[in-house]
Amino acid sequence: MVKKLFTSAALVAAALAVAAPAHAETSYYQQLVTGPTKAQCEATGSQLAQQKRAEGYLVTWIGCGYQNFQYSGLVSWSD
């Protein structure tokens, strides 16, 4: 009986050790989107943000503003 108890406890401990996630570092990425018009810039940024969300990333999409004779915005994501 005691042997069965220790065997069961060992199996549960092994299962927990396998199921525990590794301590991975979070990776951060960002991409600048640009366009000749605000509408085109917004469409490009929105599409990239949706794509990254669909891939399972956490996404931040900052809309486009006019700077240096073009519209630009920023899409950032992390896993």
Side-chain angles (χ1 to χ4, degrees):
M1 180 71 175
V2 173
K3 185 176 182 180
K4 285 184 182 180
L5 181 62
F6 283 123
T7 302
S8 297
L11 289 175
V12 170
L16 289 175
V18 171
H23 294 287
E25 291 186 27
T26 302
S27 298
Y28 298 94
Y29 310 92
Q30 63 182 19
Q31 184 170 335
L32 184 69
V33 293
T34 61
T37 66
K38 186 172 182 176
Q40 288 177 335
C41 180
E42 295 277 351
T44 303
S46 179
Q47 183 178 12
L48 179 60
Q50 289 176 359
Q51 175 189 341
K52 293 302 177 185
R53 278 190 198 99
E55 293 173 5
Y57 291 103
L58 299 173
V59 178
T60 301
W61 158 229
I62 299 173
C64 296
Y66 192 73
Q67 179 182 2
N68 295 331
F69 306 104
Q70 68 179 358
Y71 288 93
S72 61
L74 186 67
V75 179
S76 304
W77 63 94
S78 62
D79 51 6

